[in-house]
Amino acid sequence: MKLHNTLTHKTEEFAPIEDRHVRMYNCGPTVYGDQHIGNYRTFAFADILRRYFEYKGWKVTQIINITDVGHLTQDDIDSGEDKIDVMARKMGWTAIQVAEHFMKRFYEDRKTLLMREPARFTRATEHIPQMIAMIQKLLDRGVAYQVGGNVYFDVSKFPGYGKLSGNTLDAIKAGESGRVGDEVKEKRHPADFALWKTDAKHLMQWDAPWGRGFPGWHIECSAMSTAYLGDTFDLHTGGEDNIFPHHEAEIAQAEAATGKPFVKMWMHARHMLWDGKKISKSLGNVILVEDMIKKGYTPQEIRYVLVSTRYSQRVNFSWQSFEDARKALGYIVEFRRRLQDEAKKPAGAGTLDLEKHRLEFEARMDDDLDVAGAIGVLQSFRNDGNRAIDQGLGGDAAKKALELLERLGDVFGILAPATEEAVPAEIVALANARLEARKRKDFKAADEARDKIKSLGWAVEDTKDGMKYKKL
Ligand SMILES: [Zn+2]
């Protein structure tokens, strides 16, 4: 399997350090606001990666962090600055209550979108001792320095700084001239970043050897990932905006503290546009999971949209993408329904080369997660499969085709549990009879079939994507 590594700028063979066991860390949300459709595309990418490893039969230890250390002051809450939910202010919540509110919403959205549960969600507020220990190690090793109650990482002491993002220290220094402020005055180099800060106005504070304060954002991820995945682990993902400074800083802290390589493979999802525009509150195009559900899209349809393009491509979505996904997925769902019926019949004359489709699917996925190509393989599997069914597939061949379709669909999480859609064979036969009758303009026979379906407690709708069955 080949994946594109941001660290080496190359698409390279991926093999976990421990055979068939991937240790993966996904940068999670800052829980001071809702996650929007663009964020969920990045999380869906990590979910697909995990599902595909599991499809291969590999074990995955997945950690997702929750940044719940709110960099908030009471002034922020009072003024209702952009990051705080209006409701939270009205309810008089504390910072941690705001965080927990949005954390729960994140968990619920993930469940709605059928994302697999990680081994652990690591909350920053529950790992302060690990962060303090790592900061102390960095001070002991002389790669960090203290100014009053603040501790900074000294980038000039870490020769590898810039290896992920390509931002050299000289370039940063040139770009930073003219900036003022306390932090700038305290820092030895403009790229130095805070590991620990004291600020009396900050709402979350913990005791530390350097004074009561709070950790910097970057140290959270270095401390939590190594705590659960080891000093060196396989894979770290995030959005493209995480590359610099966040992930650059994570590497510097972890490698300077442990003296070992931090992460083998770094993967970053590109950003998503909505109707050709950046997603932002000011443009009023922040789409939430609940907005998609309210519009009547199923979790499977939403997933089909989110995963249908490769993570490394910048994509542009709109409500039209959802309509397109509904249609495309409808064909696959209908194919599954036909296979379910066919599996109950005796073997027929039709043949279907399952191995070819499986290998093509894997070849696309092994090529740096070419999901668009893999979905294309699913659709051609459907074409070939429908042709085979028309010739009479039946028996074991149909059962095996159904099994393969379920397995491949499961990599994307785009097929609802089969039981929900199990339509009795008699209903399907009647619906087909009705369709045939309509085709030959025998409306009397068509109406009779429809009434019979109704008397058996079902309804059939003709949609532009084929027949839809509904239990009355
Ligand atoms: Zn992170």
Side-chain angles (χ1 to χ4, degrees), residues 119 244 379 429:
F244 187 84
Q379 295 289 7

Side-chain angles (χ1 to χ4, degrees), residues 25-28 65 67 217-218 221-222 236-237 242 246-247 250:
Y25 186 87
N26 311 132
C27 265
N65 75 295
T67 297
W217 172 38
H218 312 315
C221 285
S222 299
H236 195 312
T237 72
N242 290 144
H246 185 50
H247 289 164
E250 277 190 42

Side-chain angles (χ1 to χ4, degrees), residues 301 304 324-336 379 382 465-468:
E301 287 164 345
Y304 195 98
D324 297 344
R326 169 169 286 177
K327 197 169 173 185
L329 181 57
Y331 292 136
I332 295 175
V333 171
E334 176 62 12
F335 173 44
R336 176 168 73 165
Q379 295 289 7
R382 168 184 67 86
D465 309 326
M467 279 188 287
K468 288 253 162 73

Side-chain angles (χ1 to χ4, degrees), residues 20 30 73 102 174 177 198 216 219 225-226 247 312 363 374 440 462:
R20 302 168 72 80
T30 298
T73 63
F102 287 109
S177 59
T198 50
I219 195 76
S225 60
T226 52
H247 289 164
S312 52
R440 45 171 212 272
D462 295 308

